[in-house]
Amino acid sequence: MNDNLHLGPATGVGSLPGDDAREAVKTATGTFEDFPFLPELPARGPGADMIGRTAGMLVELYARVEPSGWRLGDRPGRDTKRARAWLGEDLDALEEFTQGYEGPLKVQAVGPWTLAAALELRNGEAVLSDAGACRDLAASLTEGLRLHLAEVRRRVPGARPVLQLDEPSLTAVLRGQVRSASGYRTHRAVDRQVVEAALRDVAGVHGDGPVVVHSCAPDVPFALLRRAGVAGVSFDFSLLTERDDDAIGEAVEGGTRLFAGVVPGTDGPLSDPAGSVMGVRTLWRRLGLHPGLLAEAVTVTPSCGLAGASPEYARRALAHCVRAARSLADNPE
């Protein structure tokens, strides 16, 4: 599963501000010439949001928008159709701006556990509340991702797709911190082996292609993700604590690529590129890892999606990731 050495030095996380697919794809492919990504534009409305977009990919499961969020229903309604139409528009733009491209290309979808925590069953409770429903959802997602990856390969024949599963709720699922519909209680924690097995199954849809799991929550379960067979872990670097040191050291030594989110996801001043990756260098020294490994083991990204940023800041932040990655490669010490 380890295509690590052939992933680019920098890329985006997923979401961008605005609602113009061509403009967003042009930015994502133009900024990251050796590791572009397919952007998501949640500002377009329900169905372009992270959950709705992935719900639109499901096979034989359909979701619609209710006042409380996305709920599973019996047949595809207008919300599903809208989500699929927008994804089609995004893929059209991707095809247009990647003519002749060869190399890694990242696409994102919500992973099985965050999806199970966010989608509601017909009774209004989260899918997470029902183990059988969780299994059905993971199977439907796996099939939907298989079709999506095939479509990406068809449209961009030179691409080696990299599948990113967004799992911001993963830690909450493992700890039993996902609230019930009433808000008065929480769903019980899901067994770690069950969580790991579902992630492994969904990641397996990509065969020997690299799968990355992204979470911008604290306490990312690095060791569990490695056991589930992912090639990379994408995280908000500012949330790391020294408690994470051992897990990160083991991940790097085991060949797991780190997608280090070091550039803030919302508007603010950007430090110089070397300053943005100073923490990564410090971590490397603290772990006693070889500086020469840095460029091979790290892809620089924003800390999370950029949907909440201004378009001007988002463009600057993405370009800043490229410069920060160059600084890391040029001066690893």
Side-chain angles (χ1 to χ4, degrees):
M1 206 132 169
N2 234 324
D3 253 4
N4 277 0
L5 301 180
H6 309 295
L7 298 184
T11 192
V13 169
S15 64
L16 291 179
D19 55 13
D20 183 334
R22 288 184 74 252
E23 190 56 42
V25 171
K26 186 177 170 188
T27 298
T29 54
T31 308
F32 302 109
E33 291 169 7
D34 40 17
F35 197 0
F37 69 103
L38 177 64
E40 298 155 2
L41 300 175
R44 291 186 288 199
D49 61 301
M50 178 170 116
I51 299 299
R53 184 180 181 87
T54 301
M57 293 181 192
L58 296 173
V59 172
E60 291 177 7
L61 283 180
Y62 310 103
R64 61 176 189 272
V65 181
E66 296 286 339
S68 54
W70 284 89
R71 182 172 296 183
L72 293 174
D74 296 322
R75 56 186 171 276
R78 60 163 195 252
D79 298 321
T80 302
K81 290 181 181 127
R82 194 188 301 127
R84 290 177 178 174
W86 274 326
L87 182 58
E89 204 177 289
D90 295 342
L91 289 167
D92 289 344
L94 183 71
E95 191 173 349
E96 178 185 346
F97 288 105
T98 50
Q99 295 292 315
Y101 174 73
E102 292 183 3
L105 168 67
K106 188 164 72 67
V107 296
Q108 305 82 223
V110 178
W113 294 108
T114 297
L115 204 56
L119 282 179
E120 297 172 359
L121 296 165
R122 290 171 182 75
N123 65 7
E125 271 310 343
V127 170
L128 193 63
S129 64
D130 180 328
C134 286
R135 285 193 293 273
D136 291 346
L137 180 63
S140 169
L141 174 63
T142 304
E143 188 54 25
L145 289 174
R146 194 179 63 74
L147 297 172
H148 180 51
L149 289 163
E151 179 69 2
V152 170
R153 288 190 195 96
R154 187 180 71 73
R155 287 170 177 262
V156 192
R160 284 186 297 111
V162 175
L163 173 61
Q164 175 180 306
L165 297 173
D166 290 323
E167 283 283 15
S169 303
L170 186 59
T171 302
V173 166
L174 288 165
R175 291 189 175 165
Q177 292 168 338
V178 176
R179 295 228 157 257
S180 65
S182 67
Y184 292 127
R185 55 180 191 84
T186 53
H187 295 291
R188 70 165 62 106
V190 181
D191 181 87
R192 295 182 84 83
Q193 286 171 313
V194 173
V195 169
E196 186 187 316
L199 283 167
R200 186 183 299 111
D201 288 350
V202 175
V205 72
H206 199 19
D208 55 1
V211 175
V212 177
V213 170
H214 167 73
S215 170
C216 44
D219 298 319
V220 175
F222 286 94
L224 182 149
L225 293 173
R226 282 183 55 222
R227 288 196 305 272
V230 307
V233 181
S234 166
F235 56 95
D236 178 344
F237 193 85
S238 71
L239 297 178
L240 288 186
T241 67
E242 297 203 4
R243 282 205 312 272
D244 297 305
D245 278 9
D246 289 350
I248 288 185
E250 284 166 17
V252 172
E253 286 173 346
T256 303
R257 194 174 186 92
L258 303 181
F259 284 63
V262 296
V263 177
T266 47
D267 291 42
L270 291 167
S271 71
D272 64 306
S276 293
V277 287
M278 191 167 68
V280 181
R281 289 197 186 92
T282 306
L283 172 71
W284 231 246
R285 277 199 297 274
R286 205 165 69 224
L287 295 176
L289 292 166
H290 190 280
L293 265 178
L294 259 177
E296 284 175 17
V298 175
T299 292
V300 175
T301 72
S303 57
C304 210
L306 292 165
S310 66
E312 200 268 331
Y313 174 81
R315 282 192 293 274
R316 283 203 349 256
L318 295 180
H320 191 82
C321 289
V322 174
R323 288 197 292 274
R326 199 169 298 138
S327 153
L328 205 53
D330 291 349
N331 310 300
E333 297 290 351

